[in-house]
Amino acid sequence: MHKNLTYRINNYPENLNKTDVDNEIARAFAVWSNYTDLKFAVGSGKVDIDISFHRGDHGSNCKPFRGTLDMTAHAFFPASLLTGDAHFDLSQNWTIRNDSGLDLFQTAVHEFGHSLGLDHSNFQTAAMWPVVRRYSPNYQLDNDDITGIQKIYGTKTEGTKNSTKDQDASHREGILFSVTTESLPPVSNKTMSETNKIHVS
């Protein structure tokens, strides 16, 4: 399976510094490469993952953004029409390493999980849980995320982060991952009343 992937950021939120966005996107990809042999590099021309920010309708194959918290971003599975691409709602208040809006890094980690073939997780501690928490300085992958990504791409063959932590059998059975032809990851029908959580695709 192809493990050397390229990406491009096509545009940027008006309220954030371009270099800061570049760094947060690279940091989000690194979260997944920490546990696999995946390598990510900025590319030009045809790339594996196109990243862009949009308002409202933005293509016939995309669900429109409404500037609300029920859909802040979405990404496409590897085998879909817009293979691997990730879209973020430009109307959201994107922030970097603070709790005044939606943290770009944490949302990007989740969306890039979809770009790499992961579905939503059943576990609230997972990055792939369909509700992302407000900014956390200790944000990291859960065992469920790690097991899922390694199921697709294998374990890391160099470096130190090459295996999951111990977890019970019921946790392992709850892993959700798929490489599918669906154009968008499934939208969760769960509702969350907690004010410190927001819904993502």
Side-chain angles (χ1 to χ4, degrees), residues 58-113:
H58 54 286
S60 59
N61 296 302
C62 306
K63 293 183 179 180
F65 290 130
R66 298 182 294 274
T68 56
L69 295 180
D70 59 342
M71 184 185 297
T72 59
H74 55 222
F76 295 79
F77 287 121
S80 64
L81 183 63
L82 295 177
T83 173
D85 292 356
H87 299 162
F88 297 80
D89 185 356
L90 195 55
S91 297
Q92 301 295 335
N93 178 30
W94 295 108
T95 58
I96 293 177
R97 305 189 195 192
N98 68 70
D99 197 26
S100 63
L102 303 183
D103 187 71
L104 178 62
F105 164 73
Q106 292 179 189
T107 306
V109 170
H110 177 96
E111 297 307 331
F112 296 158

Coordinates of all heavy atoms in Angstrom, one line a residue, residues 58-113:
H58 N -19.9 23.9 -1.9 CA -18.5 23.9 -2.5 C -18.3 22.7 -3.4 O -17.2 22.1 -3.3 CB -17.5 24.0 -1.4 CG -17.6 23.0 -0.3 ND1 -18.6 23.0 0.7 CD2 -16.8 21.9 0.0 CE1 -18.4 22.0 1.5 NE2 -17.3 21.3 1.1
G59 N -19.3 22.3 -4.2 CA -19.1 21.2 -5.1 C -20.3 20.2 -5.0 O -20.8 20.0 -3.9
S60 N -20.6 19.6 -6.1 CA -21.7 18.7 -6.2 C -21.6 17.4 -5.4 O -22.5 16.8 -5.0 CB -22.1 18.4 -7.7 OG -20.9 17.7 -8.3
N61 N -20.3 17.1 -5.1 CA -20.0 15.9 -4.4 C -19.8 16.1 -2.9 O -19.4 15.2 -2.2 CB -18.8 15.2 -5.0 CG -19.1 14.7 -6.4 OD1 -20.0 13.9 -6.6 ND2 -18.2 15.2 -7.3
C62 N -20.0 17.3 -2.4 CA -19.7 17.7 -1.1 C -21.0 18.2 -0.3 O -21.8 18.9 -0.9 CB -18.7 18.9 -1.0 SG -17.2 18.5 -1.9
K63 N -21.1 17.8 0.9 CA -22.2 18.3 1.7 C -21.9 19.8 2.1 O -20.7 20.1 2.4 CB -22.3 17.5 3.0 CG -22.8 16.1 2.8 CD -23.0 15.4 4.1 CE -23.4 14.0 3.9 NZ -23.6 13.2 5.1
P64 N -22.8 20.7 1.9 CA -22.6 22.1 2.1 C -22.3 22.4 3.6 O -22.9 21.8 4.5 CB -23.8 22.8 1.7 CG -24.9 21.8 1.8 CD -24.2 20.5 1.5
F65 N -21.4 23.4 3.9 CA -21.2 23.9 5.2 C -22.3 24.9 5.5 O -22.7 25.7 4.6 CB -19.8 24.5 5.4 CG -18.7 23.4 5.3 CD1 -17.6 23.6 4.5 CD2 -18.8 22.3 6.1 CE1 -16.6 22.7 4.4 CE2 -17.8 21.3 6.1 CZ -16.7 21.5 5.3
R66 N -22.7 25.0 6.8 CA -23.7 26.0 7.1 C -23.2 27.0 8.2 O -24.0 27.8 8.7 CB -24.9 25.3 7.7 CG -25.6 24.4 6.6 CD -26.8 23.7 7.2 NE -26.5 22.7 8.3 CZ -26.2 21.5 8.1 NH1 -26.1 21.0 6.8 NH2 -25.9 20.7 9.1
G67 N -21.9 26.9 8.6 CA -21.4 27.8 9.6 C -21.9 27.4 11.0 O -21.7 28.2 11.9
T68 N -22.4 26.2 11.1 CA -22.9 25.8 12.4 C -22.0 24.6 12.9 O -21.1 24.1 12.2 CB -24.3 25.2 12.3 OG1 -24.4 24.2 11.3 CG2 -25.3 26.4 11.9
L69 N -22.2 24.2 14.2 CA -21.3 23.3 14.8 C -21.7 21.8 14.5 O -21.0 20.9 15.0 CB -21.3 23.5 16.3 CG -20.7 24.8 16.8 CD1 -20.8 24.9 18.3 CD2 -19.3 25.0 16.3
D70 N -22.8 21.6 13.7 CA -23.1 20.2 13.4 C -22.2 19.6 12.3 O -22.2 18.4 12.1 CB -24.6 20.0 13.1 CG -25.0 20.9 11.9 OD1 -24.2 21.8 11.5 OD2 -26.0 20.6 11.3
M71 N -21.5 20.5 11.6 CA -20.5 20.0 10.6 C -19.5 21.1 10.4 O -19.7 22.1 9.8 CB -21.2 19.7 9.2 CG -20.1 19.1 8.3 SD -20.8 18.8 6.6 CE -22.1 17.6 6.9
T72 N -18.3 20.9 11.0 CA -17.3 21.9 11.0 C -16.2 21.5 9.9 O -15.4 22.4 9.5 CB -16.6 22.0 12.3 OG1 -16.0 20.7 12.7 CG2 -17.6 22.4 13.4
A73 N -16.2 20.3 9.5 CA -15.2 19.8 8.5 C -15.6 18.4 8.0 O -16.5 17.8 8.6 CB -13.8 19.7 9.1
H74 N -15.1 18.0 6.9 CA -15.3 16.6 6.4 C -14.2 16.2 5.5 O -13.5 17.1 5.0 CB -16.7 16.4 5.7 CG -17.0 17.3 4.6 ND1 -18.2 17.9 4.4 CD2 -16.2 17.8 3.5 CE1 -18.2 18.7 3.3 NE2 -17.0 18.6 2.7
A75 N -14.0 14.9 5.4 CA -12.9 14.4 4.6 C -13.4 13.2 3.8 O -14.4 12.5 4.2 CB -11.7 14.0 5.4
F76 N -12.7 12.8 2.7 CA -13.1 11.7 1.8 C -12.2 10.5 2.0 O -11.0 10.7 2.2 CB -13.1 12.2 0.4 CG -14.1 13.3 0.1 CD1 -13.8 14.6 0.4 CD2 -15.3 13.0 -0.5 CE1 -14.7 15.6 0.2 CE2 -16.2 14.0 -0.8 CZ -15.9 15.3 -0.5
F77 N -12.8 9.3 2.0 CA -12.0 8.1 2.1 C -11.1 8.0 0.9 O -11.3 8.5 -0.2 CB -12.9 6.9 2.2 CG -13.6 6.8 3.6 CD1 -15.0 6.8 3.6 CD2 -12.9 6.7 4.7 CE1 -15.6 6.7 4.9 CE2 -13.5 6.6 5.9 CZ -14.9 6.6 6.0
P78 N -10.0 7.1 1.0 CA -9.0 7.0 -0.1 C -9.6 6.5 -1.4 O -9.1 6.9 -2.5 CB -8.1 6.0 0.5 CG -8.2 6.1 2.0 CD -9.6 6.4 2.2
A79 N -10.6 5.7 -1.4 CA -11.2 5.2 -2.7 C -12.3 5.9 -3.2 O -13.0 5.5 -4.2 CB -11.6 3.7 -2.4
S80 N -12.6 7.1 -2.7 CA -13.8 7.9 -3.1 C -13.4 8.8 -4.3 O -12.3 8.9 -4.7 CB -14.3 8.7 -1.9 OG -13.3 9.7 -1.5
L81 N -14.4 9.5 -4.8 CA -14.2 10.4 -5.9 C -13.2 11.5 -5.7 O -12.4 11.8 -6.5 CB -15.6 11.0 -6.3 CG -15.6 11.9 -7.6 CD1 -15.2 11.1 -8.8 CD2 -16.9 12.5 -7.8
L82 N -13.3 12.1 -4.5 CA -12.3 13.1 -4.1 C -11.4 12.5 -3.1 O -11.2 13.0 -2.0 CB -13.1 14.3 -3.5 CG -14.0 15.1 -4.4 CD1 -14.7 16.2 -3.7 CD2 -13.2 15.7 -5.6
T83 N -10.7 11.5 -3.6 CA -9.9 10.6 -2.7 C -9.0 11.4 -1.7 O -8.1 12.1 -2.1 CB -9.0 9.7 -3.6 OG1 -8.1 9.0 -2.8 CG2 -8.2 10.5 -4.7
G84 N -9.3 11.2 -0.5 CA -8.4 11.7 0.6 C -8.6 13.2 0.9 O -8.0 13.7 1.9
D85 N -9.3 13.9 0.1 CA -9.4 15.4 0.3 C -10.1 15.7 1.6 O -10.9 15.0 2.1 CB -10.1 16.1 -0.8 CG -9.3 16.0 -2.2 OD1 -8.2 15.5 -2.1 OD2 -9.8 16.4 -3.2
A86 N -9.6 16.9 2.2 CA -10.2 17.3 3.5 C -10.7 18.8 3.3 O -9.9 19.6 2.8 CB -9.2 17.2 4.6
H87 N -11.9 19.0 3.7 CA -12.5 20.4 3.7 C -12.9 20.9 5.1 O -13.4 20.1 5.9 CB -13.8 20.3 2.8 CG -13.6 19.9 1.4 ND1 -14.6 19.4 0.6 CD2 -12.4 19.8 0.7 CE1 -14.1 19.1 -0.6 NE2 -12.8 19.3 -0.6
F88 N -12.6 22.1 5.3 CA -12.9 22.8 6.6 C -13.8 23.9 6.3 O -13.6 24.7 5.4 CB -11.6 23.2 7.3 CG -10.6 22.1 7.6 CD1 -9.8 21.6 6.6 CD2 -10.5 21.6 8.9 CE1 -8.9 20.5 6.9 CE2 -9.7 20.6 9.2 CZ -8.9 20.0 8.2
D89 N -14.7 24.1 7.3 CA -15.7 25.2 7.1 C -15.0 26.6 7.4 O -14.6 26.8 8.6 CB -16.9 25.0 8.1 CG -18.0 26.0 7.9 OD1 -17.8 26.9 7.1 OD2 -19.0 25.8 8.6
L90 N -14.9 27.4 6.4 CA -14.3 28.7 6.6 C -15.0 29.7 7.5 O -14.5 30.6 8.0 CB -14.1 29.3 5.2 CG -13.1 30.5 5.0 CD1 -11.7 30.1 5.5 CD2 -13.0 30.9 3.5
S91 N -16.3 29.4 7.7 CA -17.1 30.2 8.6 C -16.8 30.0 10.1 O -17.3 30.8 10.9 CB -18.6 30.1 8.3 OG -18.9 30.5 7.0
Q92 N -16.2 28.9 10.4 CA -15.9 28.6 11.8 C -14.7 29.5 12.3 O -13.9 30.0 11.5 CB -15.5 27.1 11.9 CG -16.5 26.1 11.5 CD -17.8 26.2 12.3 OE1 -17.7 26.6 13.5 NE2 -18.9 25.8 11.8
N93 N -14.7 29.6 13.6 CA -13.6 30.4 14.3 C -12.5 29.4 14.6 O -12.4 28.9 15.6 CB -14.1 31.0 15.5 CG -13.0 31.8 16.3 OD1 -12.1 32.3 15.7 ND2 -13.1 31.9 17.6
W94 N -11.6 29.2 13.6 CA -10.5 28.3 13.7 C -9.4 29.0 14.6 O -9.0 30.1 14.4 CB -9.9 27.9 12.4 CG -10.9 27.1 11.6 CD1 -11.6 27.5 10.5 CD2 -11.3 25.8 11.8 NE1 -12.4 26.5 10.0 CE2 -12.2 25.4 10.8 CE3 -10.9 24.8 12.8 CZ2 -12.8 24.2 10.8 CZ3 -11.6 23.6 12.7 CH2 -12.5 23.3 11.7
T95 N -8.9 28.2 15.5 CA -7.9 28.7 16.5 C -6.7 27.7 16.5 O -6.8 26.6 16.1 CB -8.4 28.9 17.9 OG1 -9.0 27.7 18.4 CG2 -9.5 30.0 17.9
I96 N -5.6 28.2 17.1 CA -4.4 27.3 17.3 C -4.0 27.4 18.7 O -3.6 28.4 19.3 CB -3.3 27.8 16.3 CG1 -3.7 27.6 14.9 CG2 -1.9 27.1 16.7 CD1 -2.6 28.1 13.9
R97 N -4.1 26.2 19.3 CA -3.6 26.0 20.7 C -4.2 26.9 21.7 O -3.5 27.4 22.6 CB -2.0 26.1 20.7 CG -1.4 25.1 19.8 CD 0.1 25.0 19.9 NE 0.7 24.4 18.8 CZ 2.0 23.9 18.7 NH1 2.7 24.1 19.8 NH2 2.4 23.4 17.6
N98 N -5.5 27.2 21.6 CA -6.2 27.9 22.6 C -7.7 27.5 22.6 O -8.1 26.9 21.6 CB -6.0 29.4 22.5 CG -6.7 30.0 21.3 OD1 -7.9 30.1 21.2 ND2 -5.9 30.4 20.4
D99 N -8.4 27.8 23.6 CA -9.8 27.4 23.7 C -10.8 28.4 23.3 O -12.0 28.3 23.7 CB -10.0 26.9 25.2 CG -11.3 26.0 25.3 OD1 -11.6 25.4 24.3 OD2 -11.9 26.0 26.4
S100 N -10.5 29.4 22.5 CA -11.4 30.4 22.1 C -12.2 30.1 20.9 O -13.1 30.9 20.6 CB -10.6 31.8 21.9 OG -9.7 31.6 20.8
G101 N -12.0 29.0 20.3 CA -12.7 28.6 19.1 C -12.5 27.1 18.8 O -12.4 26.3 19.8
L102 N -12.5 26.7 17.6 CA -12.3 25.3 17.2 C -10.8 25.1 16.9 O -10.2 25.8 16.0 CB -13.1 25.0 15.9 CG -14.6 25.2 16.0 CD1 -15.3 24.7 14.8 CD2 -15.2 24.5 17.2
D103 N -10.2 24.2 17.6 CA -8.8 23.9 17.4 C -8.5 23.2 16.1 O -9.0 22.2 15.8 CB -8.2 23.1 18.5 CG -6.7 22.9 18.5 OD1 -6.0 23.9 18.8 OD2 -6.2 21.9 18.1
L104 N -7.7 23.9 15.2 CA -7.4 23.4 13.9 C -6.7 22.0 13.9 O -7.0 21.1 13.2 CB -6.6 24.4 13.1 CG -6.2 24.0 11.7 CD1 -7.4 23.7 10.8 CD2 -5.3 25.0 11.0
F105 N -5.7 21.9 14.8 CA -4.9 20.7 14.9 C -5.7 19.5 15.2 O -5.7 18.5 14.5 CB -3.8 20.9 15.9 CG -3.1 19.6 16.4 CD1 -2.3 18.9 15.5 CD2 -3.4 19.1 17.6 CE1 -1.7 17.7 16.0 CE2 -2.8 18.0 18.1 CZ -2.0 17.2 17.2
Q106 N -6.5 19.6 16.3 CA -7.3 18.5 16.7 C -8.4 18.0 15.6 O -8.6 16.9 15.4 CB -8.0 18.8 18.0 CG -7.1 18.9 19.2 CD -7.8 19.3 20.5 OE1 -7.1 19.6 21.5 NE2 -9.1 19.2 20.5
T107 N -9.0 19.0 15.0 CA -9.9 18.7 13.9 C -9.2 18.1 12.7 O -9.7 17.1 12.1 CB -10.7 20.0 13.5 OG1 -11.3 20.6 14.6 CG2 -11.8 19.7 12.5
A108 N -8.0 18.6 12.4 CA -7.3 18.0 11.3 C -6.9 16.6 11.5 O -6.9 15.7 10.6 CB -6.1 18.9 11.0
V109 N -6.5 16.3 12.8 CA -6.1 14.9 13.1 C -7.3 14.0 12.8 O -7.1 12.9 12.2 CB -5.7 14.7 14.6 CG1 -5.6 13.3 15.0 CG2 -4.4 15.5 14.8
H110 N -8.5 14.3 13.2 CA -9.7 13.5 13.0 C -10.0 13.4 11.5 O -10.2 12.3 11.0 CB -10.9 14.2 13.7 CG -12.2 13.5 13.4 ND1 -12.7 12.6 14.3 CD2 -13.1 13.6 12.4 CE1 -13.9 12.2 13.9 NE2 -14.1 12.8 12.7
E111 N -9.9 14.5 10.8 CA -10.3 14.5 9.3 C -9.2 13.7 8.5 O -9.6 12.9 7.6 CB -10.4 15.9 8.8 CG -11.6 16.7 9.4 CD -12.9 16.0 9.3 OE1 -13.1 15.2 8.4 OE2 -13.7 16.2 10.2
F112 N -8.0 13.8 8.9 CA -6.9 13.1 8.2 C -7.0 11.6 8.5 O -6.6 10.7 7.7 CB -5.5 13.6 8.5 CG -5.3 15.0 8.1 CD1 -4.3 15.8 8.7 CD2 -6.1 15.6 7.1 CE1 -4.1 17.1 8.3 CE2 -5.9 16.9 6.7 CZ -4.9 17.7 7.3
G113 N -7.6 11.2 9.6 CA -7.9 9.8 9.9 C -8.9 9.3 8.8 O -8.7 8.2 8.3

